[in-house]
DNA sequence: GTAACCGGTTACTAAATGGTAATTACTTAC
DNA sequence: GTAAGTAATTACCATTTAGTAACCGGTTAC
């Protein structure tokens, strides 16, 4: 008889979560999952608050993990575009499900850090 | 006519992703989504590498966001258990989809930071 | 000659995050 | 009287991460 939940200690969730979640990562995947290919500048435009450095870092990481494909045309000025790989597209269902949750919670009046209208407010001690 | 993808700049994905993704957060939600309720110590056991401080931080954040319910029995020693709220359970589909992806990629030989067997290897410059 | 274009890179600094160890509280067992 | 057990909390320090601004390349338009 397995210990409650113990069967998942060594399941492959953790490494996958590290690769596809985290600051900006999931947002980038969501955009590329919704419309591909997207150019570097277009991604910047879709995420006005990300910096070029972080976007580059994330795209490199996703590329290394085989989830995103980078295509460069050697024109002047250069034209670089990104799209999901075949494997990356496996995330489509999960991303769509997350998007639906986002729409639902938004409609229900969810506020980041405060929860839903029916979430009990924890009193701040004086 | 909307600019390519522009319709999602202000969509509610970002705040939701901040609340449910991030180091340990999604893993905690996955465990609570799979079996509830779980006690603090049980969660620690399921994630051998997390520290009590970080687990506490995450649980407080999830509670504030109305996704996780904390129940304390005033016994000695105390017995505190955590479970998903009604709203939190909205994530079930997304979490299950992520889990399926994890199982699939694992079976396909995906290695974190190196991708799949068919992912082109970027040469490390000497 | 110089500014714009695009997709970066680099160096430096600032902020967020995470880990460790000590401490709390109350009761039961040794 | 002291250690164990549970669920934390706190202070402090180390690490990681992110942001800022400057710079690069080659060509075209002014």
């Amino acid at each position: 008889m397995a210990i409650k939940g113990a069967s998942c200690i060594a399941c492959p969730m953790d490494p996958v979560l590290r690769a596809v979640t985290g600051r900006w990562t999931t947002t980038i995947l969501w955009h590329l999952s919704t419309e591909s290919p997207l150019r570097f500048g277009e991604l910047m435009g879709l995420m006005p608050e990300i910096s070029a450095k972080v976007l580059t870092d994330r795209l490199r990481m996703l590329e290394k993990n085989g989830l995103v494909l980078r295509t460069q045309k050697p024109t002047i000025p250069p034209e670089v575009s990104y799209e999901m790989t075949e494997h990356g597209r496996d995330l489509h269902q999960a991303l769509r499900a997350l998007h639906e949750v986002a729409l639902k919670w938004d409609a229900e009046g969810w506020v980041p850090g405060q929860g839903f209208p029916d979430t009990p407010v924890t009193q701040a001690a004086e």
Side-chain angles (χ1 to χ4, degrees), chain A:
Chain A
M1 228 170 293
I3 295 167
K4 216 183 180 189
S7 57
C8 218
I9 291 182
C11 90
M13 270 297 257
D14 272 330
V16 167
L17 288 175
R18 288 215 195 195
V20 307
T21 70
R23 194 106 178 78
W24 295 118
T25 310
T26 318
T27 305
I28 294 168
L29 289 169
W30 167 242
H31 286 306
L32 290 178
S33 183
T34 304
E35 50 185 335
S36 279
L38 283 171
R39 298 182 57 179
F40 186 87
E42 290 178 320
L43 282 165
M44 286 291 288
L46 290 168
M47 295 172 284
E49 300 194 309
I50 200 175
S51 67
K53 180 199 165 198
V54 172
L55 179 54
T56 302
D57 285 355
R58 291 302 172 278
L59 289 169
R60 293 281 172 283
M61 188 219 75
L62 292 169
E63 217 191 330
K64 266 192 199 153
N65 277 323
L67 306 181
V68 162
L69 181 69
R70 179 184 190 267
T71 309
Q72 175 167 16
K73 287 187 196 166
T75 54
I76 301 290
E79 188 179 323
V80 183
S81 61
Y82 297 89
E83 61 195 303
M84 301 291 269
T85 62
E86 192 90 19
H87 293 293
R89 269 177 244 135
D90 291 340
L91 291 166
H92 194 70
Q93 295 273 329
L95 292 168
R96 265 177 49 92
L98 276 173
H99 186 234
E100 295 225 344
V101 170
L103 293 178
K104 181 164 187 278
W105 289 359
D106 191 51
E108 289 170 351
W110 178 77
V111 178
Q114 277 160 63
F116 301 86
D118 63 357
T119 301
V121 181
T122 301
Q123 217 71 356
E126 284 293 308

